[in-house]
Amino acid sequence: MKLILLGPPGAGKGTQCKRIVERYGMAHLSSGDILRAERAAGSELGKKAQGYMDRGDLVPDDLIIDMMIAAIKKAPKGYVLDGFPRTVAQAEGLDAALAKAGERIDAIINLQVPDEAILSRMTGRRSCPVCGAVYHVVNLRPRVDNRCDKDNAELVQRKDDTPAVVANRLKTYHEQTAAVIGYYKRANTIVAIDSNKDVDQVTADVFKRLDALDG
Ligand code: AP5
């Protein structure tokens, strides 16, 4: 299965993608995670992306399109795209690459959350630096305070989850990424899911749509 998960920062894309991948077995291709890995490795791409990410601005399209098309090529059995495409130019770049390969996306899911719910989700987010598991200090607590359930590593807070950077990420989303929804709506391929609900309820709603495709 080839999927795209859209939604504003903090909509729960990463959280739901991890559950989708566990159930359906495709690759999870998160542009944010790939960029953070490039930064941690000190690569040229990571160095170029750093300033944009720390401010909450988008990394330039040409860098992102090349990076994500390369990742897609390494996932022939299917994937869920998380955080990409984030501009109409990126969506067009993806469409061109898919057309060249004779492939198509099976479903595009748009996780919807109002802006008011987002700040507390982001500032309360904690992640495992070892396995990437995502928690929340109130909504999705680990079994032991500040320790990952899977590997007991100490949880960390992302640098771009401060209130000022979150505000800029939301502004960037409305100015540049919301148009991607219009792009896919025109092709009638987008499914809206209310993500302002309990995490498990959102997962159940997503699985219901995907089971219909998988069956
Ligand atoms: P990226 O890492 O993609 O960040 P994002 O899209 O802003 O999304 P997040 O990862 O912050 O949120 P999420 O939707 O995955 O939510 P999560 O599941 O963690 O991008 C970071 C930066 O990289 C960008 O700012 C940009 O600079 C650059 N970049 C990346 N892709 C790019 C691209 N394509 N083009 C250009 N630049 C790019 O959940 C958040 C929290 O809420 C968690 O604590 C979770 O436990 C909690 N939560 C989840 N679901 C629920 C729920 N239903 N109810 C209550 N709490 C919930």
Side-chain angles (χ1 to χ4, degrees), residues 166-188:
V166 170
N168 190 42
R169 286 165 64 194
L170 263 178
K171 183 170 168 275
T172 305
Y173 171 79
H174 288 296
E175 286 175 357
Q176 298 182 59
T177 305
V180 174
I181 295 161
Y183 177 88
Y184 287 122
K185 261 190 189 157
R186 280 196 292 281
N188 270 333

Side-chain angles (χ1 to χ4, degrees), residues 7-16 30-33 35-36 49 52-54 56-61 64 68 82-87 90 121-122 124-126 134-137 139-140 158 160-161 169 195-199 202:
K13 301 183 295 296
T15 302
Q16 297 301 331
S30 157
S31 49
D33 287 350
L35 287 168
R36 281 182 285 278
Y52 297 100
M53 296 175 77
D54 288 347
D57 292 335
L58 294 184
V59 175
D61 286 332
I64 295 289
M68 292 307 287
D82 166 3
F84 173 83
R86 233 174 172 102
T87 62
Q90 292 180 18
R121 282 196 186 188
M122 312 289 273
R125 171 167 49 190
R126 300 290 182 273
V134 177
Y135 301 89
H136 189 277
V137 292
N139 305 332
L140 206 63
R158 257 168 59 174
D160 59 350
D161 277 348
R169 286 165 64 194
S195 192
N196 195 21
K197 292 182 182 174
D198 176 77
V199 180
V202 178

Side-chain angles (χ1 to χ4, degrees), residues 20-70:
I20 291 171
V21 164
E22 255 174 43
R23 184 176 174 98
Y24 302 97
M26 69 284 267
H28 178 192
L29 304 182
S30 157
S31 49
D33 287 350
I34 298 173
L35 287 168
R36 281 182 285 278
E38 293 283 344
R39 284 182 68 166
S43 72
E44 271 312 302
L45 172 60
K47 284 180 196 153
K48 283 181 188 161
Q50 193 163 304
Y52 297 100
M53 296 175 77
D54 288 347
R55 287 190 300 275
D57 292 335
L58 294 184
V59 175
D61 286 332
D62 53 340
L63 297 178
I64 295 289
I65 293 169
D66 288 352
M67 176 185 94
M68 292 307 287
I69 301 302

Side-chain angles (χ1 to χ4, degrees), residues 10 61 74 89 114-115 119 174 177 206 208:
D61 286 332
K74 289 187 203 147
D115 284 7
L119 182 63
H174 288 296
T177 305
V206 171
K208 201 169 152 194

